Amino acid sequence: AQSVTQLDSQVPVFEEAPVELRCNYSSSVSVYLFWYVQYPNQGLQLLLKYLSGSTLVKGINGFEAEFNKSQTSFHLRKPSVHISDTAEYFCAVSAISGAGSYQLTFGKGTKLSVIP
Amino acid sequence: DAGVIQSPRHEVTEMGQEVTLRCKPISGHNSLFWYRQTMMRGLELLIYFNNNVPIDDSGMPEDRFSAKMPNASFSTLKIQPSEPRDSAVYFCASSRPGTGRSPLHFGNGTRLTVT
């Protein structure tokens, strides 16, 4: 079974500073990787995804993530954050399970607080 | 694309009462998921359907919880009887057929408070 670890539960950062939210996963098979963002009182929405090809993927709102197979990581980065980026961010891994169907596993989330 | 629609947005009920949460997935999506989110346990998958058929309900906490999907455009999650520990935000999500590649589209959730 796969697992997802988001190493930081909370990340405070000053406005216009860069940020990296870390995500590591474990899986014995090939994976698809996702980052979702949840704003207060809303559902999760897709930020970006890695399915195949280039290991650097770009998403909405200036975010990007890099898939590193050897490190089993998929860290999320933004060079300059804005107040509106304050939200909770979830990393998710999709991999085929022993039963032959795909299973999606979410990390526990990282709360990003942007300080003016 | 109207997105995934959940109702009600908020539900306050007394312990022992029946609660029904509703979800309308995005048209054309054939997978539907019910999640529960709490501060203590984070995001938990309760059950998911493919083509209206329940595939995995191992996350349903106990027999008080039941879910149905009578057709491709509607699903319900029912709790009977409700208990204070059921208080949480319940999310419905849907996705296209895609063998694990398709992202989930979430509704805005139903915040359930059981007193």
Side-chain angles (χ1 to χ4, degrees):
Chain A
Q2 71 258 31
S3 65
V4 180
T5 302
Q6 291 185 242
L7 295 156
D8 305 298
S9 59
Q10 298 189 40
V11 172
V13 63
F14 286 103
E15 192 175 14
E16 297 184 5
V19 70
E20 178 178 81
L21 306 183
R22 297 178 293 170
C23 173
N24 286 88
Y25 68 92
S26 67
S27 175
S28 59
V29 297
S30 295
V31 297
Y32 303 122
L33 297 158
F34 305 85
W35 275 100
Y36 288 83
V37 59
Q38 184 180 26
Y39 300 104
N41 299 314
Q42 294 185 25
L44 282 68
Q45 54 184 276
L46 182 69
L47 205 52
L48 49 77
K49 61 186 177 185
Y50 170 78
L51 302 180
S52 65
S54 172
T55 57
L56 183 64
V57 292
K58 295 187 183 297
I60 61 172
N61 301 339
F63 283 92
E64 63 181 32
E66 185 153 21
F67 170 52
N68 187 321
K69 189 174 182 179
S70 62
Q71 302 282 333
T72 60
S73 67
F74 190 54
H75 300 333
L76 181 70
R77 293 191 284 262
K78 186 169 182 178
S80 175
V81 295
H82 192 266
I83 294 289
S84 60
D85 294 322
T86 295
E88 190 161 15
Y89 294 79
F90 293 87
C91 181
V93 172
S94 176
I96 198 158
S97 70
S101 61
Y102 275 85
Q103 181 178 357
L104 181 68
T105 302
F106 282 92
K108 292 193 179 299
T110 297
K111 290 184 178 175
L112 174 64
S113 299
V114 180
I115 305 162
Chain B
D1 185 346
V4 175
I5 299 172
Q6 291 187 247
S7 65
R9 284 301 309 272
H10 302 273
E11 177 80 41
V12 180
T13 191
E14 292 183 348
M15 183 174 64
Q17 296 297 306
E18 178 180 295
V19 175
T20 300
L21 311 182
R22 297 173 177 78
C23 175
K24 177 179 169 54
I26 293 173
S27 177
H29 285 192
N30 77 331
S31 295
L32 183 140
F33 305 78
W34 282 101
Y35 283 89
R36 178 171 69 177
Q37 186 177 40
T38 61
M39 292 285 288
M40 292 293 290
R41 294 187 297 270
L43 201 59
E44 302 173 277
L45 175 65
L46 300 178
I47 185 171
Y48 79 91
F49 296 82
N50 270 356
N51 297 316
N52 312 338
V53 176
I55 302 300
D56 182 0
D57 65 354
S58 60
M60 297 284 262
E62 44 197 280
D63 292 345
R64 297 184 296 107
F65 285 69
S66 62
K68 293 182 180 179
M69 193 165 185
N71 57 62
S73 60
F74 184 65
S75 177
T76 59
L77 178 68
K78 187 176 291 187
I79 308 173
Q80 164 64 14
S82 58
E83 296 183 2
R85 59 193 168 120
D86 302 330
S87 297
V89 181
Y90 291 81
F91 288 104
C92 176
S94 68
S95 71
R96 295 178 188 279
T99 60
R101 299 165 60 94
S102 300
L104 269 57
H105 296 253
F106 284 79
N108 282 326
T110 295
R111 183 174 296 274
L112 174 65
T113 303
V114 183
T115 60

